[in-house]
Amino acid sequence: MPGFELFGADERKQVNDVLETGILMRFGFDGARKGIWKAKELEATISKKFGCRYTHLVSSGTTALSTVLGALGIGYGDEVIMPTFTFVASFESIISVGALPVLVDVDDTLTLNPDAVRKAITPKTKCVMPVHMCGAQADMDSLQQICKEHNLILLEDACQSTGATYKGKYLGTIGDAGCYSFDFVKIVTCGEGGAIVTNREDVYLKSDGFSDHGHDHIGVDRGADLHPYLGYNYRISELHAAVGLAQFSRIDEFLAKQRAGHSQLKAILAQLPEISFRRVLDEAGDSCTFLSWFLPTTELTQAVVAELKAQNAWGGNFYWFDHNWHYIRKWEHLKQGVTLNALHPEYKAAIMQQANKDFGPSDAVMSRGVSTQISLLISEQQIKEKGEKIVAAVKKVLAAQKISA
Ligand SMILES: *Cc1c(COP(=O)(O)O)cnc(C)c1O
């Protein structure tokens, strides 16, 4: 996955362009910046490449989500449907605007199960937020259909899937709006950064204002413009945008490397009938940041994880079921409603009620799944070794189970 693995002269040049003018702010200072507008340039580059009308950069993927939720008018009294397998930013951003995160099961696509989404809809549901986890797609046809039937907003968290497509369209550009993360471990990095993409002018303009204290950015002088509504400071800096420009220009190269490594590794693991793979809805559009695979039982999976760890061969693999940041099972702070700022007691109770529901169908999938990250630096030989170690570990555990049976 991470673009930081491939930094080069272009990143340095882009940053130096900004350092030479000394204008690190993305707005204003028109004369002093000598025509250098890195954030604007990256926004135009992303819109062009991904075929969407608007891109707005912000300081992170998390603030992109908070910003666009605000711009979409989602808040008090609204329910937002999100998956049990994601990053904590999903519920953080929903809570940041005062809405209720409604957690819903994932299936073997590792993303929202559309049937579970249907069952979770109430009169208060305002938005469905699929998360395109680990580089590949949620079922956008089904989710679009559901949102159309129930008049809901469709907001794509594509933070882990920048550059992936679904039936020819870039993830993030299919729903009402989408978000990307350019944090340090994503496929394209700014150091820290994020983006909102949308075809809706209203969502774009409100995102632009919300992420800059409500400035309407109309008029020449910064400060002489108006603040039609409250906002926050979620701005990206020119330095971060400069790094992103260099990184984003290489996205096709990064994707090609990942796709090659992914198919090589998949061919090795596919030799074992016990290993199955994540159901990917559009294989050609998978960004292939990870190869996600399953074993038949939780017990077998946990034994294989332990075996790979014992052999010091676990690096680059993720068992999300046990992961503190990505799966409901370990989100104790959410389940207990622990916040530093006091919440209204009824709102806090509703959050806790959501987080403490039974997620048996998610557990049944997540407890059997491992994701192997595809590094941009890994060689064919290293992938071969990695794959063979996984195969050997599975074989060893299977043999031991037969003996003990
Ligand atoms: C990384 C990530 C985010 C948040 O992005 P940051 O830039 O780290 O704030 C949100 N959602 C998902 C699924 C992510 O992986």
Side-chain angles (χ1 to χ4, degrees):
M1 180 150 76
F4 77 78
E5 293 177 321
L6 290 174
F7 271 151
D10 197 27
E11 280 78 2
R12 283 192 291 278
K13 185 206 164 285
Q14 290 285 357
V15 171
N16 275 328
D17 285 352
V18 177
L19 290 176
E20 270 159 31
T21 67
I23 306 302
L24 313 189
M25 167 84 157
R26 69 154 302 175
F27 294 114
F29 303 93
D30 295 28
R33 63 194 315 138
K34 301 193 179 106
I36 305 252
W37 298 89
K38 296 298 182 187
K40 277 193 207 295
E41 196 183 333
L42 180 52
E43 287 166 350
T45 307
I46 293 172
S47 295
K48 183 155 181 259
K49 170 82 179 163
F50 288 171
C52 58
R53 287 179 67 195
Y54 305 102
T55 301
H56 179 63
L57 288 171
V58 288
S59 56
S60 72
T62 309
T63 56
L65 289 167
S66 290
T67 297
V68 77
L69 284 164
L72 287 161
I74 294 165
Y76 172 71
D78 296 329
E79 295 181 353
V80 179
I81 291 177
M82 59 161 276
T84 53
F85 175 48
T86 174
F87 178 57
V88 292
S90 300
F91 60 77
E92 287 170 347
S93 59
I94 295 167
I95 292 171
S96 81
V97 297
L100 181 67
V102 171
L103 283 112
V104 161
D105 279 313
V106 295
D107 58 23
D108 60 347
T109 63
L110 297 184
T111 62
L112 280 180
N113 176 337
D115 292 331
V117 170
R118 277 188 193 279
K119 288 191 189 121
I121 293 172
T122 75
K124 290 182 174 175
T125 308
K126 180 110 177 233
C127 174
V128 178
M129 190 203 277
V131 183
H132 303 296
M133 279 302 276
C134 301
Q137 317 90 2
D139 183 347
M140 292 306 288
D141 280 350
S142 301
L143 295 174
Q144 269 185 311
Q145 182 60 34
I146 291 170
C147 287
K148 211 170 125 194
E149 278 169 31
H150 296 268
N151 194 24
L152 303 174
I153 292 164
L154 181 56
L155 169 58
E156 297 172 75
D157 178 344
C159 285
Q160 289 201 8
S161 295
T162 307
T165 58
Y166 177 76
K167 301 190 176 176
K169 286 188 180 152
Y170 281 95
L171 295 183
T173 68
I174 302 167
D176 290 273
C179 292
Y180 305 122
S181 165
F182 304 129
D183 79 20
F184 194 55
V185 297
K186 299 302 206 283
I187 179 168
V188 164
T189 186
C190 292
E192 299 283 1
I196 295 142
V197 287
T198 182
N199 290 314
R200 286 177 49 177
E201 186 182 32
D202 64 321
V203 174
Y204 164 68
L205 290 175
K206 287 175 188 161
S207 296
D208 179 55
F210 186 92
S211 58
D212 186 23
H213 302 294
H215 276 270
D216 66 5
H217 298 139
I218 297 171
V220 183
D221 290 339
R222 182 172 179 79
D225 59 351
L226 300 176
H227 38 69
Y229 42 77
L230 302 183
Y232 298 93
N233 176 7
Y234 294 155
R235 293 186 304 261
I236 193 164
S237 83
E238 284 287 278
L239 289 172
H240 291 88
V243 175
L245 259 178
Q247 285 266 297
F248 194 82
S249 71
R250 300 177 71 181
I251 190 168
D252 286 333
E253 174 196 338
F254 295 173
L255 287 166
K257 280 211 163 83
Q258 288 179 175
R259 285 171 174 155
H262 183 278
S263 63
Q264 192 198 343
L265 184 63
K266 189 171 179 184
I268 297 169
L269 301 199
Q271 292 164 16
L272 273 187
E274 287 82 4
I275 295 182
S276 61
F277 297 94
R278 169 190 190 171
R279 183 159 57 90
V280 175
L281 298 161
D282 180 352
E283 301 246 0
D286 188 345
S287 65
C288 296
T289 50
F290 292 92
L291 176 67
S292 298
W293 45 279
F294 299 107
L295 289 167
T297 66
T298 304
E299 190 197 4
L300 182 57
T301 311
Q302 290 179 347
V304 168
V305 171
E307 177 61 27
L308 284 167
K309 283 183 178 165
Q311 287 179 20
N312 249 333
W314 178 247
N317 289 295
F318 294 85
Y319 182 50
W320 305 116
F321 189 63
D322 272 350
H323 201 283
N324 282 343
W325 296 94
H326 290 282
Y327 185 54
I328 178 74
R329 202 163 85 91
K330 293 289 181 87
W331 296 339
E332 215 47 52
H333 58 338
L334 183 69
K335 292 184 203 178
Q336 304 296 329
V338 184
T339 54
L340 295 178
N341 54 316
L343 300 179
H344 187 287
E346 278 171 31
Y347 177 50
K348 177 173 161 165
I351 292 172
M352 290 172 65
Q353 193 246 329
Q354 280 301 324
N356 287 287
K357 290 188 300 195
D358 174 46
F359 296 109
S362 298
D363 285 346
V365 171
M366 299 308 300
S367 65
R368 297 184 298 105
V370 173
S371 295
T372 305
Q373 187 165 26
I374 310 296
S375 157
L376 292 173
L377 294 177
I378 197 166
S379 67
E380 276 188 33
Q381 181 58 29
Q382 285 167 322
I383 289 194
K384 185 165 175 281
E385 285 164 17
K386 207 176 182 74
E388 284 169 355
K389 277 184 187 157
I390 292 170
V391 168
V394 175
K395 280 185 176 164
K396 187 173 165 187
V397 170
L398 284 169
Q401 282 190 347
K402 275 197 191 108
I403 291 165
S404 69

